[in-house]
Amino acid sequence: MPLLNTNDRATKGELTKQRILEAAAQMFWKSSYHNVRVDKIVELAEVNKASFYQYFKNKEHAALECVDYMFSLTREHIFEGSFAQEQDPIKRLEEIYHRIYMAHKELKDNEEQIPGCPFMNMGSELATDSEIIRQKVEQVLGEFYVYQQRIYEDAKAKGLTTMDWEPELVGRQLQGILNGAMSSAKIRNRPEDITDALVTAKTIIGVPG
Amino acid sequence: MPLLNTNDRATKGELTKQRILEAAAQMFWKSSYHNVRVDKIVELAEVNKASFYQYFKNKEHAALECVDYMFSLTREHIFEGSFAQEQDPIKRLEEIYHRIYMAHKELKDNEEQIPGCPFMNMGSELATDSEIIRQKVEQVLGEFYVYQQRIYEDAKAKGLTTMDWEPELVGRQLQGILNGAMSSAKIRNRPEDITDALVTAKTIIGVPG
Amino acid sequence: MPLLNTNDRATKGELTKQRILEAAAQMFWKSSYHNVRVDKIVELAEVNKASFYQYFKNKEHAALECVDYMFSLTREHIFEGSFAQEQDPIKRLEEIYHRIYMAHKELKDNEEQIPGCPFMNMGSELATDSEIIRQKVEQVLGEFYVYQQRIYEDAKAKGLTTMDWEPELVGRQLQGILNGAMSSAKIRNRPEDITDALVTAKTIIGVPG
Amino acid sequence: MPLLNTNDRATKGELTKQRILEAAAQMFWKSSYHNVRVDKIVELAEVNKASFYQYFKNKEHAALECVDYMFSLTREHIFEGSFAQEQDPIKRLEEIYHRIYMAHKELKDNEEQIPGCPFMNMGSELATDSEIIRQKVEQVLGEFYVYQQRIYEDAKAKGLTTMDWEPELVGRQLQGILNGAMSSAKIRNRPEDITDALVTAKTIIGVPG
DNA sequence: GATGAATGAGTTTTCATTCAT
DNA sequence: TATGAATGAAAACTCATTCAT
């Protein structure tokens, strides 16, 4: 189940690397960095272990690239997808929450466990021990909250909100609410915690729940 | 640096266990479960490794007791402390955020790193792999959000808010905001993310930021 | 369930040692030397671990005394008991096998497992690694086969057998048959292997099965 | 000192596994399961410890495969070898005892210690604690006594015996005698105990000692 | 570009034994 | 005589990483 349309012109080596990346990203997400062994990644990717080290300097750098990979997936499927589908800023926000909820719901149904936010997971586990991972996750979350900042800006421009706040701050707060919601969902193993948080997000923007 | 007033009547063995617990809790918090080795815990606690296993079935169970230990610390120092100091619900909320901010600020100044929320950290890292840890963290966070639920209820009773929501839901949302804020602070290595979220929390309650 | 009538005049210390001995002997028999931890012995004996080392130089020497203890039990309950109960040499042999069978049957019913011969067990496990244990077991088995040697001698004297062999050799062979039978019973978890061997023993003596 | 003609077509990995197996089997036999450390096995096999765990799930499973390995060796060298060399059932029995005696004699001369029967040793030590080992040993001994059952059947068919017994029972009894003899030899450190038992075995079959 | 095999250095866990009171 | 507590040494087992082909 390749999650990304891999380039048809990709060389054999690029495909191998991609397979490893998909396997690793999936496993890191569903479990954790430390709990996933390189052995298991290559087993799932169906490649030789030495190939792993041909394409990645070490496990940490593989994780780094996984964050990038998950980033591009999330941006496409969650943010860009929602923005393309809906024009109204509030509907966009709703769609974002809906898509995230659906993804977690499906994962719970199939795997019994809710994986939470892949970026928060990595960040939580590794921020204090790996500065490069911390920075990468910081960067990724930074790219996401601009989507939510824009939702607020659009809502404001359309007169949908009475709140008059610093957009950057609102963007970050919305991101924080989303992060908190996914973490809750994971820890309580309850996907509905994500949709529950939508009303909070709307309140921040200043629209009725 | 004992974080808790340990009972004066404690036996020698209980004190040893307590020392291990303090060392382990601190290290798990500042780093992560997997990145902290039992060797290092007993080194910090200045006990023999076999003693660790005399008092704890294994590393996982030690972590479990660490969650309990951090829970009692947090409840006392953050929640009960704030409630005892302030009577006004909004002031209580502010005090909670303030105390959490101060703790993180201090840790950043001393250790260069922001540890984030000990419960979210554990939960994030282990929820999908250790059901007993997941349940313990779920339980702990459950105990915390009732404090915030009460803040909302009190605010409502005092006519400080115009919002009319289900208190349990508000409690959970406030907890989510706090969690998201601590995670942000950790990942962005920026303690101010905690205080920044206070305005979001207040907005949810329905009081002016 | 003390297996031996301990002296009423025994001091407190002697009783403690006796309790340890009983616990250790029982556990070594039912499991094995290496698989039984000193911790578990003192737990069953309900004594402090340091007491164990007050009465026994170390685990090996405790095992050594266990062999002696089991020897006296076995001599009384199996050999002397059978000899006292029966006068006829063949009946005596039958009674020996019967008593051993009953003991194993009961143990299987209660513990699901057949422990086999305590002396063979110790010997098998330790003979090549502990010369003092090997010698002790050799001595004990040596004391036992004289009972069987005497059975043969008596049978011969009574004209119950036509075989004319060196009695010492017959004694050893009978002991070997018994040992083999108990080992079979243990490995096949089948107490009847003991009674099955009676016919072999009788054949050696030269009486009809 | 490879005891088995290993396949020339074996891969490098298979050869490594074989080396470990040979080292482990030898050491378990000469000492005991618990007394042999994985460290020492890999030292003798001249492989890295991790390789041990690449080829065997754990120590217990290695022991399990050792039993299989010793089984094939014993079947070839002792039973099949004797049957191939001799046609007469009694001569076959004598040859079996002779070969076992020679093996033990040689081991005593070289190692000072008689290792006894590898299967009885394992069984004795582990039967009550490892059900999978107990079953494996039971199975192996079961395969051996059919050789001795056949000796009795052949002897009977040739009119060499007057005894008229259930062949399966005789097979088991002969196996028991052999087992008892090897155990005696080990505990008394006297290889001759094996040859001494031959007369017992012959008596059971019903031929003159 | 790929892979079977190997490995150094850890990592958790255990155990017999002893100390201090 | 007894015991709560501690511990050195080693045990089984693991893991990221690299080698040789």
Side-chain angles (χ1 to χ4, degrees), chain D:
Chain D
M1 60 187 80
L3 301 170
L4 201 67
N5 285 344
T6 48
N7 188 342
D8 289 315
R9 298 248 174 278
T11 66
K12 201 169 165 229
E14 287 168 336
L15 287 173
T16 299
K17 179 173 181 178
Q18 187 60 25
R19 273 219 312 288
I20 298 171
L21 216 43
E22 277 161 21
Q26 202 180 132
M27 294 178 87
F28 286 147
W29 187 22
K30 288 184 189 165
S31 179
S32 71
Y33 176 79
H34 281 103
N35 209 50
V36 170
R37 312 300 166 184
V38 174
D39 285 61
K40 297 297 177 187
I41 295 172
V42 300
E43 193 180 309
L44 180 62
E46 293 182 295
V47 300
N48 184 278
K49 209 193 307 184
S51 294
F52 180 95
Y53 287 96
Q54 189 171 354
Y55 293 109
F56 304 99
K57 191 185 167 201
N58 53 33
K59 194 183 170 189
E60 187 185 19
H61 279 79
L64 210 55
E65 293 207 34
C66 281
V67 174
D68 270 333
Y69 172 58
M70 292 303 283
F71 167 66
S72 62
L73 282 187
T74 308
R75 190 189 48 200
E76 290 313 308
H77 289 24
I78 306 295
F79 291 95
E80 291 291 342
S82 297
F83 270 57
Q85 181 182 317
E86 306 289 344
Q87 299 311 312
D88 177 70
I90 308 305
K91 286 233 168 95
R92 281 173 168 177
L93 186 73
E94 287 168 348
E95 182 64 19
I96 289 168
Y97 272 76
H98 177 66
R99 287 180 179 220
I100 293 174
Y101 166 74
M102 289 305 287
H104 281 77
K105 182 80 171 57
E106 194 183 322
L107 277 157
K108 176 166 184 189
D109 291 345
N110 294 334
E111 319 263 346
E112 305 282 293
Q113 290 290 343
I114 291 184
C117 169
F119 312 107
M120 297 298 287
N121 288 351
M122 278 273 176
S124 242
E125 184 176 354
L126 300 175
T128 46
D129 298 308
S130 166
E131 179 61 13
I132 67 174
I133 294 272
R134 206 216 93 234
Q135 282 176 14
K136 172 63 72 181
V137 173
E138 179 179 3
Q139 170 209 325
V140 163
L141 292 183
E143 301 224 29
F144 284 149
Y145 79 65
V146 299
Y147 283 95
Q148 303 183 66
Q149 175 176 339
R150 191 167 145 217
I151 284 173
Y152 173 68
E153 289 168 339
D154 288 353
K156 207 161 130 184
K158 291 197 172 179
L160 299 174
T161 172
T162 50
M163 299 283 195
D164 185 28
W165 279 342
E166 219 269 287
E168 198 264 355
L169 180 68
V170 176
R172 277 203 282 120
Q173 295 307 311
L174 290 172
Q175 184 67 40
I177 289 161
L178 193 50
N179 291 341
M182 278 187 280
S183 296
S184 275
K186 175 176 188 174
I187 285 163
R188 297 167 24 109
N189 205 24
R190 188 172 176 276
E192 291 71 30
D193 278 7
I194 292 163
T195 33
D196 283 357
L198 178 58
V199 63
T200 304
K202 283 187 183 171
T203 305
I204 294 310
I205 296 180
V207 295

Side-chain angles (χ1 to χ4, degrees), chain B residues 11 13 16 48 50-51 54-55:
Chain B
T11 66
T16 300
N48 185 277
S51 294
Q54 188 171 354
Y55 294 109

Side-chain angles (χ1 to χ4, degrees), chain C residues 10-11 21 23 29 58-59 68 77 85 114 117 147 167 170 185-186 188 199 202-203 205:
Chain C
T11 66
L21 214 44
W29 187 22
N58 54 31
K59 193 185 174 188
D68 270 331
H77 289 25
Q85 182 182 316
I114 292 183
C117 169
Y147 283 94
V170 177
K186 174 176 188 173
R188 307 189 347 133
V199 62
K202 284 186 182 173
T203 306
I205 294 180

Side-chain angles (χ1 to χ4, degrees), chain B residues 2-197:
Chain B
L3 299 172
L4 201 63
N5 285 343
T6 48
N7 190 342
D8 289 314
R9 299 248 175 279
T11 66
K12 198 168 167 232
E14 286 167 337
L15 288 172
T16 300
K17 178 173 183 178
Q18 187 61 24
R19 274 219 313 289
I20 299 172
L21 215 43
E22 278 161 22
Q26 201 179 133
M27 296 178 86
F28 284 148
W29 188 22
K30 288 182 189 166
S31 178
S32 70
Y33 176 80
H34 280 104
N35 210 49
V36 170
R37 312 298 165 186
V38 175
D39 285 60
K40 296 297 175 185
I41 296 173
V42 300
E43 192 180 311
L44 181 61
E46 293 182 294
V47 300
N48 185 277
K49 212 191 309 186
S51 294
F52 180 94
Y53 286 95
Q54 188 171 354
Y55 294 109
F56 305 99
K57 192 184 166 199
N58 54 32
K59 192 183 171 188
E60 188 186 17
H61 279 78
L64 210 55
E65 293 207 35
C66 282
V67 174
D68 270 332
Y69 172 60
M70 293 302 280
F71 167 65
S72 62
L73 282 187
T74 308
R75 190 188 50 202
E76 289 315 308
H77 289 25
I78 305 296
F79 291 97
E80 292 291 342
S82 299
F83 271 57
Q85 183 182 317
E86 306 288 344
Q87 299 311 311
D88 178 70
I90 308 306
K91 287 232 166 97
R92 281 175 167 176
L93 186 72
E94 287 168 350
E95 182 63 20
I96 288 168
Y97 272 77
H98 178 65
R99 287 179 179 221
I100 292 174
Y101 166 73
M102 289 304 289
H104 281 77
K105 181 79 169 58
E106 196 184 321
L107 276 156
K108 178 168 183 187
D109 290 345
N110 294 334
E111 318 263 347
E112 307 282 293
Q113 290 289 343
I114 291 186
C117 168
F119 312 106
M120 298 297 288
N121 289 351
M122 278 274 175
S124 239
E125 185 177 353
L126 300 175
T128 46
D129 297 307
S130 166
E131 180 61 13
I132 68 172
I133 295 271
R134 207 216 92 235
Q135 282 176 12
K136 171 63 74 181
V137 173
E138 178 178 3
Q139 170 209 326
V140 163
L141 293 183
E143 300 223 31
F144 284 150
Y145 79 67
V146 298
Y147 283 96
Q148 305 185 65
Q149 175 176 341
R150 190 166 145 218
I151 284 173
Y152 173 67
E153 288 167 341
D154 289 353
K156 205 160 132 187
K158 290 199 172 179
L160 299 173
T161 173
T162 50
M163 300 284 196
D164 185 28
W165 280 341
E166 218 270 286
E168 197 265 354
L169 180 67
V170 177
R172 276 203 281 122
Q173 295 308 308
L174 290 172
Q175 183 66 40
I177 289 162
L178 193 50
N179 290 341
M182 279 187 282
S183 295
S184 271
K186 175 177 188 172
I187 285 163
R188 304 179 3 122
N189 204 24
R190 189 174 174 276
E192 290 71 30
D193 278 7
I194 291 164
T195 32
D196 284 356

